[in-house]
């Protein structure tokens, strides 16, 4: 009994030591996590701030997430975020809504570990050749609502420096065709967002280019698709391919009653161009036949007047021919000529 009492007395002290050890270990773990936590720099509403943003910037080497928002940056110069020429450990760079118009060559040099770049909601007019140099590790590029008519985007994106790109957002840029013809080096592209553009259909060339990207997923909703009879290839692609991730959300913008109709719900007769032309020719033939019938009825009702008019013409022609015949006989008789002399 005495031994049991001693053990019971010792047990609380043992538990206290155990709890203290566990707490100390948790403290070390939390300290280590706090030490390795990613540094983040965020700058909002630069136009209202007294501090002026001057590029190129000297970003701290420990910063991994960097954001500039509404800072009125018209031009991204060379090494815009690595002024001293050394590489930094930046992983995510957001330059959304900064009124950027020009990106110069090597603007992102010095960011070899950058994984995500957000340039959305700007006014890009010129992207110099080599603007994306040094971004071999880039996985995500957001260019939504940022392209102007002066920018020919595929030429700038078709570069070996973006060979690791996996996600490309081109939504809200008034694109009329899928610009895959210039993406020869984006072989790892798996997500292409083209929502809210001006794409009316996908022709044979677009579909052929898409088939070269085996694992790509395309988003095409909120585009004004023109559901004419030549949409059959696009319709077959939606039905038989899994590349369009939002195929059930694609709506027709016309013509006529097809407005707001789901593209995948079109009927076979909506895509038969030849039959539609044949119906047009049949309708034209019927109209011409009706015109011919009306013309014949008018002739029948005026048959007496037409007969009288033809008889008058025949009599007039006969009288005229008799006059010509009489004059010919007088001119050909030599005796009549002597009498005249």
């Amino acid at each position: 009994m005495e031994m049991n009492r001693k053990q019971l007395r010792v047990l609380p002290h043992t538990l206290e030591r155990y709890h203290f050890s566990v707490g100390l270990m948790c403290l070390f773990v939390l300290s280590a996590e706090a030490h390795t936590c990613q540094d983040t720099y965020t700058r909002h509403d630069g136009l209202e701030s007294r501090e002026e943003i001057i590029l190129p910037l000297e970003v701290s080497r420990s910063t991994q997430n960097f954001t500039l928002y509404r800072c009125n940056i018209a031009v991204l110069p060379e090494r815009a975020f690595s002024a001293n020429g050394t590489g930094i450990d930046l992983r995510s760079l957001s330059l959304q809504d900064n009124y950027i118009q020009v990106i110069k060559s090597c603007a992102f040099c010095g960011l070899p570990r950058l994984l995500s770049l957000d340039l959305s909601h700007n006014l890009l007019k010129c992207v110099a050749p080599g603007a994306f140099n040094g971004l071999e590790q880039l996985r995500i590029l957001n260019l939504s609502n940022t392209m102007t008519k002066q920018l020919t985007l595929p030429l700038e994106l078709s570069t070996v420096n973006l060979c690791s790109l996996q996600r490309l957002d081109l939504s809200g840029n008034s694109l009329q065709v899928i610009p895959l013809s210039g993406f020869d080096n984006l072989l790892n592209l798996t997500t292409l967002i083209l929502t809210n553009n001006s794409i009316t259909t996908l022709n044979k060339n677009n579909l052929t280019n898409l088939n070269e990207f085996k694992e790509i997923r395309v988003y095409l909703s909120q585009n004004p698709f023109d559901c004419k009879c030549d949409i059959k290839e696009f319709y077959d692609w939606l039905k038989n391919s899994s590349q369009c991730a939002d195929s059930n959300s694609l709506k027709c913008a016309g013509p006529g009653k097809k407005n707001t109709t789901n593209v995948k719900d079109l009927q076979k007769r909506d895509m038969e161009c030849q039959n539609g032309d044949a119906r047009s020719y049949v309708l034209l033939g019927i109209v011409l036949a009706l015109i011919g019938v009306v013309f014949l009825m008018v002739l029948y009702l005026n048959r007496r007047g037409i007969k009288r008019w033809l008889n008058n013409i025949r009599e007039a022609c006969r009288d005229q021919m008799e006059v010509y015949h009489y004059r010919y006989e007088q001119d050909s008789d030599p005796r009549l000529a002597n009498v005249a002399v």
Side-chain angles (χ1 to χ4, degrees):
M1 293 292 292
E2 293 180 358
M3 291 294 294
N4 292 336
R5 290 177 181 176
K6 291 180 178 180
Q7 291 176 355
L8 290 174
R9 292 175 181 175
V10 173
L11 183 60
H13 296 287
T14 305
L15 291 175
E16 289 178 359
R17 292 178 180 177
Y18 174 75
H19 290 160
F20 178 76
S21 301
V22 172
L24 189 61
M25 291 177 63
C26 291
L27 182 60
F28 279 119
V29 171
L30 292 175
S31 299
E33 290 183 354
H35 180 71
T36 59
C37 182
Q38 296 180 1
D39 294 333
T40 301
Y41 178 90
T42 304
R43 168 72 182 280
H44 294 279
D45 297 327
L47 293 176
E48 300 176 2
S49 176
R50 295 181 180 178
E51 181 184 356
E52 184 180 0
I53 292 293
I54 300 177
L55 297 178
L57 287 174
E58 188 60 45
V59 181
S60 172
R61 290 181 59 86
S62 61
T63 302
Q64 294 193 4
N65 298 316
F66 194 91
T67 300
L68 290 177
Y69 181 68
R70 291 185 177 178
C71 292
N72 196 18
I73 304 170
V75 179
L76 288 181
E78 181 179 351
R79 291 187 173 272
F81 304 97
S82 179
N84 61 1
T86 60
I88 60 178
D89 198 29
L90 197 64
R91 304 298 178 87
S92 176
L93 177 60
S94 178
L95 301 174
Q96 178 183 356
D97 201 2
N98 284 292
Y99 310 99
I100 299 173
Q101 300 181 25
V102 178
I103 301 178
K104 293 190 176 181
S105 180
C106 207
F108 304 103
C109 290
L111 309 178
R113 298 184 181 181
L114 191 66
L115 300 177
S116 176
L117 176 60
D118 188 352
L119 293 168
S120 61
H121 296 277
N122 285 290
L123 300 171
L124 288 182
K125 297 179 180 179
C126 177
V127 178
F132 298 107
N133 285 350
L135 298 180
E136 288 81 3
Q137 299 299 321
L138 191 67
R139 301 289 190 275
I140 301 173
L141 178 59
N142 189 349
L143 293 171
S144 62
N145 299 283
T146 192
M147 293 171 54
T148 58
K149 294 182 180 180
Q150 295 91 332
L151 182 63
T152 55
L153 184 65
L155 297 179
E156 285 76 20
L157 290 179
S158 183
T159 170
V160 294
N161 294 284
L162 296 176
C163 58
S164 299
L165 194 65
Q166 297 178 356
R167 180 184 177 91
L168 178 61
D169 191 344
L170 295 174
S171 59
N173 287 311
S174 301
L175 297 175
Q176 297 182 355
V177 295
I178 297 182
L180 284 174
S181 58
F183 294 172
D184 300 333
N185 295 308
L186 305 183
L187 300 179
N188 293 314
L189 192 64
T190 57
T191 303
L192 179 61
I193 303 176
L194 293 167
T195 58
N196 193 24
N197 278 291
S198 301
I199 301 173
T200 58
T201 187
L202 271 70
N203 56 31
K204 188 175 181 180
N205 293 332
N206 294 143
L207 299 177
T208 301
N209 291 330
L210 279 174
N211 291 330
E212 295 178 359
F213 297 82
K214 302 299 182 183
E215 299 181 359
I216 196 169
R217 300 282 286 174
V218 184
Y219 293 82
L220 293 168
S221 59
Q222 302 180 43
N223 279 286
F225 292 104
D226 194 359
C227 297
K228 295 181 179 178
C229 58
D230 56 356
I231 202 173
K232 188 177 186 305
E233 291 184 353
F234 179 40
Y235 172 84
D236 292 338
W237 176 74
L238 291 177
K239 284 287 188 179
N240 303 321
S241 175
S242 60
Q243 289 182 319
C244 186
D246 56 352
S247 59
N248 293 325
S249 303
L250 307 189
K251 303 291 184 180
C252 295
K257 297 181 179 180
K258 297 178 185 177
N259 190 19
T260 69
T261 302
N262 195 308
V263 177
K264 293 182 70 174
D265 292 339
L266 292 174
Q267 302 297 322
K268 185 178 179 180
R269 63 176 179 272
D270 297 328
M271 295 172 286
E272 294 177 349
C273 296
Q274 295 181 353
N275 290 346
D277 294 340
R279 287 195 295 267
S280 300
Y281 289 132
V282 170
L283 181 61
L284 179 61
I286 293 173
V287 172
L288 292 177
L290 290 174
I291 294 174
V293 170
V294 172
F295 180 71
L296 292 176
M297 289 181 64
V298 171
L299 291 178
Y300 177 76
L301 294 175
N302 293 277
R303 62 188 183 278
R304 294 180 180 177
I306 294 173
K307 184 178 180 180
R308 188 183 307 110
W309 178 70
L310 291 175
N311 289 332
N312 292 336
I313 292 177
R314 185 180 63 181
E315 293 296 332
C317 291
R318 181 182 296 174
D319 294 341
Q320 190 67 27
M321 290 302 295
E322 288 180 353
V323 171
Y324 288 153
H325 183 68
Y326 176 74
R327 289 180 178 178
Y328 176 75
E329 289 180 348
Q330 285 184 340
D331 293 340
S332 60
D333 191 350
R335 293 175 297 176
L336 294 177
N338 294 329
V339 171
V341 174

